[in-house]
Amino acid sequence: MSKRLFIKTYGCQMNVYDSGRMADLLAPLGYRLADGPEEADMVILNTCHIREKAAEKVYSELGRLRPLKAARDAGDGMMIAVAGCVAQAEGAEIMRRAPIVDMVFGPQSYHRLPEMIAQATRQRAAGTAAPGRGVLDTDFPAEAKFDFLPEASAAPGVTAFLSIQEGCDKFCTFCVVPYTRGAEYSRPVDAVHAEARRLVAMGARELTLLGQNVNAYHGAAPGGGEWGLGRLARALAELPGLERLRYTTSHPGDVDDALVEAHRDLPQLMPFLHLPVQSGADRVLAAMNRRHSVDDYRRVIDRFRAARPDMAFSSDFIVGFPGETDAEFAATLALVREIGFAQAFSFKYSQRPGTPAAASEPQVPEAVKAARLEALQSLLATQQAAFNQDCVGRVLPVLFEREGRYPGQLVGRSPYLQGVHATAPATMRGTVRKVRLVACRRNSILGELAEPVAGVGAVAEKASA
Ligand code: 5AD
Ligand code: SF4
């Protein structure tokens, strides 16, 4: 019998990927995706713990689910699971505080979901599913969960994510990832290659390789030894039908020559890189345990630009890290001006329980953080607008992904992830076309096709005959 599954995803693209795999895993058990929790037999909250209020958001979502579950429990009932990084960090606490939760499991355990469902169902049938006694699985199993996941069953879109690396051994002092996602693990090259081949065969034209520290990738190679990300990118670029390759998120300290050379040599590798620097002050970078200086970052950017002059960058920034002075914040602004980012994300420092920086003194007052964030975001917004404006008049390749808001329009992305909409025949969906960017609009860029539309000439001839 068909059952309905609703997954609510918070946070990063890794979670988006994980949610997709959970759906794949549950499809053979008869679960089909639902648009909302109302009709769902199973609701999974795939949570994020990276910044503030993550746990609170989960509890308030659970509060909204409570009446839905109560209404359904007369029949077959509704199962509620909390997954992801909040689950990993606060599993037992969630069980205790939210008795409506049947299952809690971390990012490393979701391949055991069918087993957990069976267990929770048995508990329920036996009437032993007392509040706080649901199924809890937040181990870091030694075996790799990827070996236990089924092949993706749902057809991907024109663009697809592919998780190649997970976890992190860097231990930046502000970050929970090493605690919630565990030690760094790279999937073997063969497994990545096979999944990439399947995704492309099912219609994906662009793959984004995912990892918390993706350029630390060092997967077991087919002939023995290990491959880094540069070598992997070369192998994937040979897949017929794969037009574009991206990867995220990278650490400046893990950029090697092979990766830079891959950008030089592979047209499939997009000239746009998310390379977080976090701060423009050496003392702050050291206190963050980032393991690189501002100058190291500049040199990495220069190497990429030398290899691919059209390369553009985005970054993450944290303002108000403990002890950050006005001068140190000014150094961040100066670095932003110097590098020139096409896009960026910036956040107020948020104390994460259990991380070293959470206990550092002095913490920066909230009002100072807010003022710094505003200043930084306004500079970054100006840079982004300038970057987009600079692209106006240029012809860029656009991968058309889907229909636009108006009839006859398609929407796609430039190499720089700019959303571009243009009048184009529906047959161009899933293909890369030359598009002249004409004008910046609020949320995307207006373009016009800069290549002939196949068939149009022939139609005109017939009409005039
Ligand atoms: N406070 C604020 N921002 C954080 N990030 C990670 N941890 C924290 C924190 N404790 C940001 C970093 C990282 C991005 C994914 O989230 O900038 O690159
Ligand atoms: Fe977190 Fe630092 Fe690892 Fe990135 S490199 S996931 S910021 S610990």
Side-chain angles (χ1 to χ4, degrees):
M1 196 194 64
S2 171
K3 296 181 198 150
R4 309 277 281 163
L5 166 69
F6 176 66
I7 307 182
K8 181 157 180 170
T9 308
Y10 303 79
C12 66
Q13 288 147 331
M14 187 77 83
N15 267 9
V16 176
Y17 176 87
D18 285 348
S19 292
R21 304 314 308 271
M22 287 187 228
D24 292 335
L25 199 60
L26 294 181
L29 303 188
Y31 285 95
R32 300 283 165 269
L33 282 177
D35 294 331
E38 294 77 15
E39 302 303 316
D41 302 287
M42 159 93 69
V43 174
I44 301 177
L45 305 181
N46 193 9
T47 61
C48 168
H49 206 227
I50 197 95
R51 283 175 297 275
E52 214 112 28
K53 301 198 184 97
E56 287 72 31
K57 270 192 221 157
V58 174
Y59 289 115
S60 60
E61 186 66 32
L62 289 171
R64 281 192 289 277
L65 290 174
R66 189 177 304 123
L68 290 180
K69 181 169 167 109
R72 295 284 303 283
D73 273 355
D76 278 350
M78 173 192 276
M79 241 184 229
I80 297 182
V82 179
C85 293
V86 176
Q88 186 63 45
E90 305 191 9
E93 173 74 3
I94 296 172
M95 284 291 192
R96 200 180 56 72
R97 268 184 61 180
I100 64 161
V101 173
D102 299 283
M103 290 177 282
V104 175
F105 49 93
Q108 311 304 333
S109 345
Y110 68 80
H111 57 292
R112 289 198 288 261
L113 194 46
E115 247 167 271
M116 290 187 255
I117 294 175
Q119 205 181 332
T121 311
R122 271 198 306 276
Q123 281 185 1
R124 186 185 283 190
T128 54
R133 296 247 320 261
V135 181
L136 175 66
D137 190 341
T138 50
D139 290 350
F140 282 123
E143 86 272 53
K145 77 173 171 214
F146 291 107
D147 295 346
F148 294 88
L149 288 172
E151 293 181 0
S153 56
V158 172
T159 64
F161 293 134
L162 201 179
S163 187
I164 66 166
Q165 180 277 337
E166 200 169 357
C168 183
D169 295 336
K170 293 275 188 299
F171 289 91
C172 298
T173 55
F174 52 81
C175 184
V176 287
V177 165
Y179 310 95
T180 57
R181 290 275 171 171
E184 202 192 298
Y185 167 77
S186 294
R187 292 176 73 188
V189 169
D190 280 345
V192 172
H193 201 265
E195 189 168 338
R197 248 192 345 256
R198 263 195 315 274
L199 288 166
V200 174
M202 287 193 294
R205 294 293 164 259
E206 171 179 304
L207 294 180
T208 301
L209 309 178
L210 296 179
Q212 263 91 28
N213 212 172
V214 73
N215 62 332
Y217 178 82
H218 56 100
E226 287 181 344
W227 284 5
L229 183 58
R231 183 77 184 78
L232 179 71
R234 271 178 207 276
L236 296 180
E238 285 174 13
L239 282 174
L242 181 65
E243 302 270 1
R244 289 179 163 186
L245 203 50
R246 305 179 185 274
Y247 55 92
T248 197
T249 293
S250 300
H251 189 286
D254 288 323
V255 173
D256 61 8
D257 288 343
L259 187 59
V260 176
E261 285 158 15
H263 276 277
R264 181 194 62 199
D265 299 340
L266 303 175
Q268 291 88 344
L269 206 48
M270 290 294 97
F272 183 54
L273 183 60
H274 184 59
L275 194 65
V277 64
Q278 314 293 358
S279 165
D282 281 335
R283 192 204 63 82
V284 175
L285 290 178
M288 287 176 164
N289 191 32
R290 287 291 291 175
R291 306 156 189 245
H292 64 81
S293 65
V294 177
D295 220 42
D296 293 334
Y297 186 79
R298 283 190 190 101
R299 277 200 294 270
V300 170
I301 298 275
D302 288 347
R303 279 159 69 203
F304 277 118
R305 283 186 168 148
R308 263 229 55 171
D310 61 345
M311 193 95 174
F313 298 90
S314 86
S315 175
D316 293 338
F317 295 92
I318 297 178
V319 301
F321 184 80
E324 186 188 62
T325 63
D326 284 341
E328 285 164 345
F329 174 63
T332 298
L333 294 179
L335 183 68
V336 170
R337 286 197 195 91
E338 178 190 328
I339 304 279
F341 290 97
Q343 191 203 308
F345 304 94
S346 43
F347 314 100
K348 289 189 266 191
Y349 169 71
S350 156
Q351 281 173 288
R352 309 317 292 140
T355 58
S360 295
E361 291 296 338
Q363 294 288 322
V364 173
E366 186 55 32
V368 176
K369 284 189 207 172
R372 286 181 187 168
L373 187 68
E374 204 184 309
L376 177 59
Q377 290 191 335
S378 123
L379 173 61
L380 290 168
T382 309
Q383 281 197 343
Q384 179 169 1
F387 180 82
N388 288 342
Q389 198 55 49
D390 275 355
C391 292
V392 169
R394 288 176 64 189
V395 173
L396 290 177
V398 168
L399 172 58
F400 284 122
E401 293 175 22
R402 56 192 164 80
E403 284 172 12
R405 185 151 17 131
Y406 300 104
Q409 254 188 6
L410 290 179
V411 183
R413 293 203 181 264
S414 76
Y416 305 114
L417 282 179
Q418 295 151 309
V420 177
H421 58 277
T423 300
T427 48
M428 286 189 174
R429 189 178 161 271
T431 64
V432 177
R433 301 291 169 165
K434 291 188 189 122
V435 175
R436 184 182 314 283
L437 305 196
V438 183
C440 294
R441 296 283 188 251
R442 194 180 317 202
N443 295 316
S444 73
I445 300 180
L446 171 66
E448 52 190 37
L449 275 180
E451 58 179 80
V453 177
V456 167
V459 171
E461 258 176 42
K462 243 194 204 154
S464 61

